[in-house]
Amino acid sequence: MGKTGILNDVRLVDLSHAVAGPSGSQLLGDLGAEVLKIEPPETGDFSRGATPRLGSESFFYLAVNRNKKSVVLDLYSESGRDAFHDLVRESDVVFDNFRPGVLERLQADYQTLRDINPRIISCSITGFGPSGPYRDHPAFDDIPMGLSGAYSLCGEPGGRPMRVPMHVADLAAGFFAVTGALAALFRRESTGLGCKVAVNMLDAIMYYMASDFQSYFVSGDAPKACGSRHARAPMVGVFQTRNGYMVLGPSWPRIAKVIGKEWMITDPRFISVEKRFENKVELEDLIEDGLRQADTEYWLDVMRREDVAAGPVNSLDQAVRDPQVAQNGTIVAMKHPSLGEVRGIECPIKVSDVEPGDHAPPPTLGQHTEEVLKIILGYSEEKIAALRREQQDGWKSRSRGEGRL
């Protein structure tokens, strides 16, 4: 199932949904862990309902659920909850991203799980933390992004704040949860005991913004939106060329030589770091004026030869055709049981002595229920059939959507 990896001896029970939890559990699956994705009957992970879709599956679900086994269990039914507890006895980590209070209703809270398996590591992702005024508020990615101040840094100066088109807070929380789970697994080697790992999206995105907050702590001035340019580093950001745009990194004084304006190096306005920051707008206008004299492709060729930090502003269709992306093997193909070939983004972590293997595609809803119950738990056909009947009878009578993040 999926890739071989350094976590082949780890089994994770994944109660999470949407992006924050599943992105983290997918990463653990990419590294070799056996990930059992527990989904409710009929609907499954609610991200399955998003659009656009490839056949029966949504892009949203396909993005963060490879290398997992889908097991349908209704945790509000006695048999479904018992099966979940049985899996906890045979597992190392439980992932969730419910709002505070939901785990207690599901009998999936850490105290309950610890009584079942003292070695279990319970890893919970919430929006804002287990206490405080926002504890029970719903928290999808954009909410902590706005609350943290991240969106105030995006957009043109003096303009409307702009959202970031990536799930930054979700992914930050998911990857910090992975870090916490791995640290807890390492500690368990010496103590023999599990623990509770807690991550919230607000803390995670503010940790990513540490340099921005440190600038405020040092200067007393809150950073503001600066459009396509770096707020504190002159000459860093997006610049226009004759036929498009390109990105520059820190490149002084080589950039002045490349664009044929070596006189700028000794100009009093740009002679020191302080002066270049003081005259940032003039400096960047002069550089862009030079870049507008030729096409992006010309400048990239010249700058690579001259060791100037620069790159293109690719669209996504250009990015997937980039030769470096091809060399890295960043785009991977998986054979889905009903959709045919499905593409995804490869795990960025490479381990020297681990032989790479093929990824398992995101599973269909309940694809591995019978396999997991039989092989891991040793359930009989009769017990599986009884569990299935109870779930079918009970699920429709209960309201859907309870316990969303």
Side-chain angles (χ1 to χ4, degrees):
M1 168 73 184
K3 285 201 163 189
T4 59
I6 56 176
L7 298 180
N8 280 353
D9 295 330
V10 173
R11 178 178 290 140
L12 183 148
V13 179
D14 185 13
L15 301 178
S16 66
H17 53 91
V19 176
S23 64
S25 57
Q26 175 173 275
L27 179 56
L28 291 169
D30 287 346
L31 293 173
E34 182 181 25
V35 180
L36 309 179
K37 183 177 179 67
I38 308 302
E39 301 188 74
E42 296 188 13
T43 57
D45 184 327
F46 77 90
S47 69
R48 289 181 181 271
T51 57
R53 307 177 68 80
L54 178 63
S56 60
E57 301 291 3
S58 77
F59 81 100
F60 211 174
Y61 173 79
L62 292 173
V64 290
N65 285 289
R66 68 168 172 243
N67 292 331
K68 302 180 184 180
K69 297 177 180 179
S70 174
V71 179
V72 168
L73 292 178
D74 179 4
L75 299 191
Y76 287 96
S77 72
E78 183 177 357
S79 57
R81 192 164 52 248
D82 287 346
F84 164 64
H85 288 166
D86 288 341
L87 288 174
V88 169
R89 289 186 181 90
E90 305 297 328
S91 300
D92 301 286
V93 182
V94 174
F95 249 51
D96 78 87
N97 60 343
F98 297 118
R99 295 192 215 184
V102 174
L103 292 177
E104 286 74 15
R105 293 200 298 274
L106 295 176
Q107 296 182 31
D109 57 284
Y110 175 59
Q111 298 302 322
T112 300
L113 302 187
R114 186 179 64 176
D115 290 342
I116 295 169
N117 178 1
R119 291 174 55 83
I120 201 69
I121 294 161
S122 176
C123 193
S124 292
I125 300 171
T126 58
F128 306 109
S131 61
Y134 307 146
R135 173 186 184 271
D136 297 318
H137 288 191
F140 294 92
D141 185 81
D142 289 274
I143 313 304
M145 288 291 285
L147 180 62
S148 66
Y151 283 173
S152 76
L153 305 179
C154 303
E156 294 299 324
R160 180 179 184 144
M162 297 185 70
R163 73 184 300 274
V164 179
M166 290 78 71
H167 297 277
V168 184
D170 277 329
L171 294 173
F175 296 158
F176 280 125
V178 168
T179 304
L182 293 176
L185 285 167
F186 182 78
R187 191 186 76 161
R188 195 180 71 177
E189 290 299 301
S190 59
T191 67
L193 297 174
C195 63
K196 168 89 172 175
V197 174
V199 175
N200 72 76
M201 295 163 67
L202 178 60
D203 284 353
I205 189 58
M206 290 181 73
Y207 191 94
Y208 273 18
M209 297 166 62
S211 64
D212 300 290
F213 282 106
Q214 199 62 49
S215 175
Y216 166 65
F217 297 151
V218 169
S219 69
D221 296 323
K224 297 180 175 58
C226 54
S228 59
R229 303 284 169 78
H230 197 291
R232 293 173 295 281
M235 302 163 294
V236 176
V238 178
F239 289 80
Q240 189 171 16
T241 66
R242 186 165 63 190
N243 69 335
Y245 295 91
M246 63 182 297
V247 181
L248 289 181
S251 54
W252 187 263
R254 289 191 297 275
I255 184 61
K257 297 177 182 179
V258 167
I259 63 175
K261 297 185 178 186
E262 292 182 76
W263 58 266
M264 293 171 60
I265 298 171
T266 56
D267 189 297
R269 295 171 296 173
F270 315 129
I271 197 68
S272 66
V273 173
E274 292 77 14
K275 285 293 185 181
R276 288 193 291 276
F277 188 85
E278 181 182 328
N279 299 292
K280 182 175 181 290
V281 174
E282 293 175 75
L283 176 63
E284 292 177 343
D285 285 349
L286 284 165
I287 291 172
E288 188 163 75
D289 177 70
L291 293 173
R292 284 178 178 155
Q293 307 311 306
D295 292 349
T296 300
E297 294 74 20
Y298 168 80
W299 289 122
L300 290 176
D301 182 59
V302 172
M303 290 179 187
R304 283 166 183 159
R305 291 202 308 268
E306 295 295 327
D307 199 29
V308 173
V313 178
N314 281 336
S315 59
L316 268 63
D317 58 315
Q318 292 171 323
V320 299
R321 297 194 300 269
D322 190 277
Q324 188 62 54
V325 172
Q327 176 64 35
N328 292 348
T330 306
I331 311 300
V332 295
M334 297 163 282
K335 189 174 181 181
H336 192 276
S338 61
L339 305 179
E341 182 177 278
V342 173
R343 291 189 293 172
I345 303 300
E346 176 62 285
C347 175
I349 300 172
K350 316 297 181 187
V351 181
S352 61
D353 59 348
V354 174
E355 190 68 26
D358 294 331
H359 288 295
T364 57
L365 179 60
Q367 179 180 343
H368 304 94
T369 304
E370 190 163 331
E371 170 193 327
V372 167
L373 296 180
K374 276 185 177 180
I375 296 176
I376 297 178
L377 300 184
Y379 280 16
S380 66
E381 294 282 357
E382 293 76 14
K383 188 168 185 177
I384 294 173
L387 182 150
R388 188 179 295 117
R389 283 194 301 273
E390 182 182 357
Q391 292 189 154
Q392 289 173 343
D393 293 341
W395 178 253
K396 292 181 181 179
S397 65
R398 287 188 294 273
S399 63
R400 298 189 175 99
E402 184 174 2
R404 295 302 189 202
L405 177 66

